[in-house]
Amino acid sequence: MVSEEELEKWIAAGEVARVVLEKSLDIVDEGLSLLDLANKLEETIKKMGGQPAFPVNISIGSIAAHYSPSVNDQTTIPPKTLVKVDVGVHVNGYIADAAITVALDPSYQLLVEVAKNALKTALSTFKPGIELAEVGARVENIVKAHGLKPIANLSGHLLERYNLHAGKHVPNVRTEPCGKAITGEAYAVEPFVTDGKGYVVEAGSGTIYRLTNVKKINGAELDQLIKELWKNYRNLPFSERWIYHVYGNTGLLKLEKLVHLRRVYRYPILIEVGRGFVAQFEDTIILLSNKIVNTTRVLELLKS
Ligand code: MN
Ligand code: MN
């Protein structure tokens, strides 16, 4: 069950994510620096009393997920593209995970509309007791009815306190039964829609990391860094920018060592295999006994 205090924090995190995405809707445009955008959005999260639950992801065109600007990222938003902004906020470990897509060219209108409809469909399917595979089947139906494809190997996920991917998945395609949603749970619901082949592959190393193993190494400096990573982020993903900001280049070198020693995982960038463009809308919902609370309501932000 979800206590009143817990619900307040889930909702507070959702409010921050919502404001941040609203802001990104205003400022995402051709020529904008990804580094400036990410820094600005992450600053806003903190100013509003939240913490980033992961680095802001800004995935352009056929990049589906896990692109976050590096320390010296020079990338700017190209003309006539499609930009996804995916933000994570936590308040005391209670997470909101939400995303929007901005089309900078009318030719992506269908992709964006279908991605919105896919999220609407997924949300309206959700209820306590639902078999999660049922959500995937409905999403697949609606997306394919428009001649597009959902991304089969990306899915929504159960959220727990300080745990972004807490086990259960919400598929975006028809699958075998994969578990039921139950009262008291929180989920990130996120259909991805593409005009490509319908699945993503890894496209090189990104700049997002996560502590996966706190076992000591017996190197005082590295063990100290592990301790601080745990203190600051627990098992939530963090950015190389945040490490650089505190520890400089030596911090990045140590981080590299922790990746090789398998204490830290580095997320690969995920790209649509056919280089199709990818649209995504994501909300966070809490399943209460008498209702479902959508903490982020991103589709309401898109009034135009
Ligand atoms: Mn997300
Ligand atoms: Mn998510």
Side-chain angles (χ1 to χ4, degrees):
M1 287 306 106
V2 183
S3 72
E4 276 303 315
E5 283 136 308
E6 288 176 309
L7 184 59
E8 266 173 32
K9 283 168 190 143
W10 287 115
I11 288 174
E15 264 313 304
V16 176
R18 200 161 195 275
V19 168
V20 168
L21 288 177
E22 191 165 32
K23 188 174 185 134
S24 70
L25 279 174
D26 285 343
I27 58 181
V28 164
D29 211 347
E30 173 185 346
L32 180 65
S33 146
L34 299 195
L35 188 56
D36 287 350
L37 178 60
N39 284 337
K40 198 172 282 179
L41 298 182
E42 288 165 5
E43 271 315 304
T44 306
I45 291 172
K46 288 186 233 166
K47 261 189 229 151
M48 291 187 67
Q51 287 294 324
F54 53 80
V56 169
N57 285 216
I58 309 165
S59 302
I60 291 175
S62 53
I63 297 177
H66 299 170
Y67 187 96
S68 189
S70 62
V71 169
N72 293 312
D73 209 307
Q74 302 293 313
T75 315
T76 56
I77 296 177
K80 294 180 185 299
T81 193
L82 191 67
V83 183
K84 293 169 289 301
V85 180
D86 191 334
V87 302
V89 175
H90 78 85
V91 171
N92 233 340
Y94 297 90
I95 298 168
D97 180 1
I100 48 118
T101 299
V102 181
L104 297 178
D105 190 90
S107 59
Y108 306 117
Q109 207 48 40
L110 178 68
L111 207 52
V112 168
E113 286 305 316
V114 174
K116 285 188 215 169
N117 274 329
L119 176 58
K120 270 184 214 160
T121 302
L123 292 174
S124 66
T125 309
F126 245 96
K127 57 182 179 216
I130 186 89
E131 165 55 54
L132 292 163
E134 178 69 19
V135 181
R138 298 243 197 136
V139 167
E140 179 170 344
N141 286 347
I142 185 100
V143 174
K144 287 198 170 160
H146 291 91
L148 297 167
K149 285 180 183 151
I151 303 243
N153 58 342
L154 289 175
S155 51
H157 43 100
L158 183 67
L159 296 165
E160 285 174 354
R161 193 174 177 213
Y162 286 112
N163 192 350
L164 189 57
H165 288 258
K168 291 191 210 176
H169 294 275
V170 187
N172 293 319
V173 292
R174 196 164 266 99
T175 64
E176 295 296 307
C178 58
K180 287 180 177 171
I182 55 177
T183 303
E185 287 180 330
Y187 283 92
V189 185
E190 50 178 323
F192 289 79
V193 175
T194 183
D195 53 4
K197 294 195 162 140
Y199 66 98
V200 292
V201 290
E202 298 180 358
S205 293
T207 61
I208 303 173
Y209 298 79
R210 188 168 66 86
L211 187 61
T212 52
N213 183 349
V214 295
K215 207 178 128 212
K216 281 206 167 190
I217 290 161
N218 290 323
E221 288 191 348
L222 292 180
D223 285 331
Q224 182 59 27
L225 183 56
I226 289 176
K227 225 167 112 181
E228 288 173 31
L229 291 174
W230 173 254
K231 192 180 117 227
N232 292 332
Y233 312 118
R234 307 254 192 138
N235 293 121
L236 294 173
F238 57 89
S239 169
E240 70 164 39
R241 288 179 280 109
W242 307 347
I243 299 305
Y244 181 79
H245 185 73
V246 178
Y247 307 98
N249 264 321
T250 38
L252 295 185
L253 291 172
K254 284 180 201 165
L255 191 58
E256 187 74 31
K257 282 185 189 157
L258 292 181
V259 171
H260 286 290
L261 292 163
R262 298 189 184 277
R263 298 306 193 275
V264 167
Y265 174 72
R266 175 163 45 206
Y267 288 81
I269 292 164
L270 299 175
I271 190 165
E272 209 288 324
V273 70
R275 299 297 186 270
F277 272 31
V278 180
Q280 167 214 21
F281 291 90
E282 177 178 24
D283 269 328
T284 292
I285 58 172
I286 319 293
L287 309 182
L288 302 180
S289 56
N290 58 342
K291 62 178 172 185
I292 295 179
V293 178
N294 184 337
T295 68
T296 48
R297 305 182 316 285
V298 299
L299 298 178
E300 290 174 22
L301 295 171
L302 317 160
K303 286 297 170 225
S304 52

